[in-house]
Amino acid sequence: MQKTHEGGYLLGNAMLVLGTAASMQIDLVKIAGPVLESLALKAYETVQLRIRDNTEALCIAKAEPSRDLRVHAVVGRRRPLYAGSSKVLLAFLPEDLRNELLPISLDSMTARTITERAKLVQELETIRATGYCISRGEVSEQLVSVSLPVRGYDGSVLAAINIAAPAFRTQEADLDRYRSLLVEGAAKISAGLGWSR
């Protein structure tokens, strides 16, 4: 808060930035909600929306199918940017910022987590080129996910949307179907945020 000459108070720049970020996040969740629900019904698997919060990916919205055995998503759960579906958020950052956010040492979450920096950079380039990420057991050995970027009005990547499923019942054909569903879902959310190709 900043004091004015008249004795009143104004919001400082930091508060305005926080307010703008919170407003953007609320708009994103509001626009994405129906899309997530639709995707969860079509895929019959869990759908999540994640944003970057400094060096972590934060789940801000989810939709889960009504089946007993499913991936349980938690709004507010954080993950490292370099593992699993969160890599989409890292892949589409400007190179200098991406390099700044990449830790020197990459901790292993499972035996499949990429822990070599050079190999991760190569993987991020592949994600950037193909436009999507498939993660097989990087965060949890029993989990497979497909993720795509969600773009803002200026084309920048604001979020990652993913479908996550238990590995034992997920075939390559399922991953292709999830990717097709996510292309459509990400486009709808991005359009709602003002982005058009």
Side-chain angles (χ1 to χ4, degrees):
M1 299 278 282
Q2 296 175 346
K3 194 168 185 176
T4 65
H5 295 296
E6 294 81 26
Y9 289 90
L10 293 173
L11 290 176
N13 288 339
M15 294 300 290
L16 288 174
V17 168
L18 278 174
T20 302
S23 176
M24 184 275 294
Q25 190 170 315
I26 290 166
D27 288 347
L28 180 56
V29 171
K30 187 176 174 183
I31 291 166
V35 177
L36 300 185
E37 293 291 342
S38 174
L39 285 174
L41 284 171
K42 290 175 182 175
Y44 205 40
E45 296 292 357
T46 298
V47 185
Q48 297 178 74
L49 188 70
R50 293 182 176 276
I51 60 167
R52 182 177 71 85
D53 188 20
N54 295 318
T55 60
E56 295 178 308
L58 173 67
C59 178
I60 60 168
K62 65 167 186 170
E64 295 180 1
S66 58
R67 65 193 306 177
D68 292 336
L69 191 55
R70 65 185 184 273
V71 173
H72 291 278
V74 179
V75 172
R77 179 177 285 163
R78 295 173 179 275
R79 297 273 190 233
L81 284 173
Y82 63 83
S85 61
S86 303
K87 288 183 297 191
V88 163
L89 295 168
L90 198 54
F92 288 93
L93 287 174
E95 190 176 354
D96 55 342
L97 179 57
R98 186 178 71 187
N99 291 336
E100 183 185 319
L101 293 175
L102 263 178
I104 300 299
S105 173
L106 304 174
D107 295 330
S108 177
M109 299 179 77
T110 73
R112 290 176 174 253
T113 307
I114 298 173
T115 55
E116 296 172 37
R117 206 170 192 270
K119 190 174 178 182
L120 177 62
V121 169
Q122 188 176 19
E123 171 79 358
L124 296 176
E125 290 300 328
T126 300
I127 292 168
R128 198 175 175 102
T130 61
Y132 67 93
C133 170
I134 294 178
S135 170
R136 294 176 174 90
E138 293 177 44
V139 174
S140 166
E141 289 177 358
Q142 294 81 35
L143 180 72
V144 177
S145 68
V146 183
S147 58
L148 268 80
V150 171
R151 297 181 182 275
Y153 70 93
D154 60 354
S156 63
V157 173
L158 298 180
I161 185 171
N162 79 72
I163 294 174
F168 77 89
R169 68 170 175 234
T170 308
Q171 308 300 317
E172 286 301 315
D174 295 315
L175 297 177
D176 290 340
R177 187 169 65 87
Y178 299 159
R179 185 163 53 89
S180 295
L181 290 171
L182 287 168
V183 166
E184 183 183 331
K188 282 182 181 175
I189 299 169
S190 298
L193 294 168
W195 183 67
S196 59
R197 290 177 185 245

